[in-house]
């Protein structure tokens, strides 16, 4: 099968998410890294792209240069990934969609709800794919949980409890750390710090697993490190369209919590839980029953969980392969084949509406506010 060509913006040397994209995109032989504008420092990004095997004439110092150089090529890139800091996502994603490229954008997709609505409109009008990297939804056992809920194993879902709380910004040394600094700078990160950075992954998982969407929410935000303008700790109560009650805690100052993403879903007939730090197991308890541990790779899992599992039972599998699963489904879509549940621009839009609703609620002493984007009310 012909390899697809892939370009990358951001994700330069030393970045947090860049390596996961390269491991993910290249894992299955679907894509070749063909072009890139990888770094805010142009010459550094160009040199790194060349070291990664990009031809010198397709290694760019700036994304606008890349757009100009790539848009009219007969061998047009099949996919462009946007893995820059948040403030640039909208502008870059919009420009590449408008120029006819398929785009995988990092989360949060935009800074405002209006920008999110615009990306959804442009993606629909252009017929291009605009996916958002909600990669936790591509873990095999997350797919298993989604299938269990849809099959009715848990009965009607009453509550979802999810956390994305870690302690990696507890030192409060933002000013000295360029990779932390932008996350609390409204000009770079937007209206929200931790909720937009990590909370939205937890919120997306709650929707993805239950198949329901957030309708209203009430939030309490705190900047526990006083120099931070944006919140580093958020507690959000939410209600879903189907009546499910949601609880979400997202924090960066929770010393001792490492990655810190976990989710529990409680229905009338049973409960399940999963944590990103033990991604191979789902704990399942039936009403009045004992707890069972469902293992990735065991017999009898759903076809989605089997399809997205890459190594045999009990072998560790994690984040880069979850990102790889996003790229597998992107490749299938680009080739016009059937693909699994790919997080799309509409999911990015819903997240932005929830983030802005949380900011509004936190500013009104936790008042309950509508969390849906205007176009989806
Ligand atoms: P980072 O600060 O570690 O790296 C950002 C990279 O982008 C750097 O290489 C920087 O030089 C480059 N860059 C900045 N501006 C650029 C520009 N205008 N053109 C080209 N390159 C530019 O940040 P990160 O942690 O890698 O985060 C990047 C994005 O990925 C953020 O939006 C973040 O929210 C998202 N992210 C997503 C996940 C996930 O699980 N999906 C995880 C981590 C980060």
């Amino acid at each position: 099968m012909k390899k697809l060509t892939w370009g990358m913006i951001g994700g330069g040397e030393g970045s947090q998410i860049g390596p996961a994209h390269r491991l993910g995109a290249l894992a299955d032989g679907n894509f070749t890294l063909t072009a890139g504008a990888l770094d805010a420092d142009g010459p550094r990004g160009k040199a790194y792209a060349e070291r990664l095997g990009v031809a010198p004439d397709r290694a760019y110092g700036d994304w606008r240069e890349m757009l100009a150089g790539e848009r009219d090529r007969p061998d047009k890139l099949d996919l462009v990934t946007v893995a820059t800091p948040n403030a640039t996502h909208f502008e870059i994603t919009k420009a590449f969609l408008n120029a006819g490229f398929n785009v995988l954008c990092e989360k949060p997709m935009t800074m405002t709800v209006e920008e999110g609505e615009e990306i959804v409109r442009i993606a629909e009008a252009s017929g291009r794919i605009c996916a958002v990297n909600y990669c936790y939804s591509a873990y095999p056992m997350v797919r298993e949980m989604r299938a269990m809920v849809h099959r009715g194993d848990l009965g009607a879902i009453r509550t979802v409890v999810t956390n994305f709380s870690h302690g990696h910004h507890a030192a409060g040394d933002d000013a000295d750390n360029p990779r932390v600094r932008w996350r609390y700078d409204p000009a770079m990160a937007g209206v929200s710090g931790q909720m937009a950075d990590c909370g939205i992954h937890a919120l997306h998982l709650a929707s993805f697993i239950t198949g329901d969407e957030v309708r209203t929410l009430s939030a309490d935000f705190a900047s526990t490190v006083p120099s931070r303008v944006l919140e580093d700790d958020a507690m959000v109560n939410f209600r879903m369209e189907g009546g499910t009650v949601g609880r979400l805690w997202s924090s960066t100052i929770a010393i001792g919590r490492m990655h810190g993403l976990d989710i529990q879903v409680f229905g009338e007939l049973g409960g399940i839980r999963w944590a990103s730090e033990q991604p191979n197991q789902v704990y399942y308890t039936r009403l009045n029953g004992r707890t069972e541990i469902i293992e990735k790779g065991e017999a009898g899992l759903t076809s989605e969980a089997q399809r997205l599992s890459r190594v045999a039972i009990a072998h560790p599998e994690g984040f880069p392969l979850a990102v790889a699963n996003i790229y597998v489904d992107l490749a299938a879509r680009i080739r016009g084949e059937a693909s699994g549940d790919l997080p799309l621009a509409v999911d990015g839009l819903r997240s932005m509406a929830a983030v802005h609703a949380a900011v509004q609620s936190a500013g009104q002493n936790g008042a309950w506010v509508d969390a849906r984007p205007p176009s989806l009310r």
Side-chain angles (χ1 to χ4, degrees), residues 3 10 40-41 48 75 96 99 109 116 137 141 151 175 238 247 251 286 291-292 296 310 339 342 361 373 377:
K3 279 212 179 199
D41 175 334
Y48 188 48
D75 56 347
F96 277 82
M109 182 174 80
S137 65
M141 296 314 277
R151 206 163 54 203
F238 56 95
R247 319 273 185 216
S251 182
R286 291 181 174 87
T291 298
E292 296 170 28
K296 180 192 73 66
R310 311 308 193 80
S339 69
L342 196 57
S361 169
R377 283 180 190 172

Side-chain angles (χ1 to χ4, degrees), residues 11 47 93 130 195 266 273 297 312 328 332 350 359 362:
T93 298
C130 182
M195 185 61 198
F266 303 108
R273 64 188 155 93
V328 166
R350 283 190 191 278
V359 171

Side-chain angles (χ1 to χ4, degrees), residues 12 15-17 39-40 84-86 89 106-107 133 182-183 201:
S15 66
Q16 186 186 162
I17 200 66
D39 206 292
T84 50
N86 308 357
H89 292 175
E106 261 307 341
K107 46 52 58 179
N133 193 28
W182 71 259
R183 291 183 150 84
H201 274 300

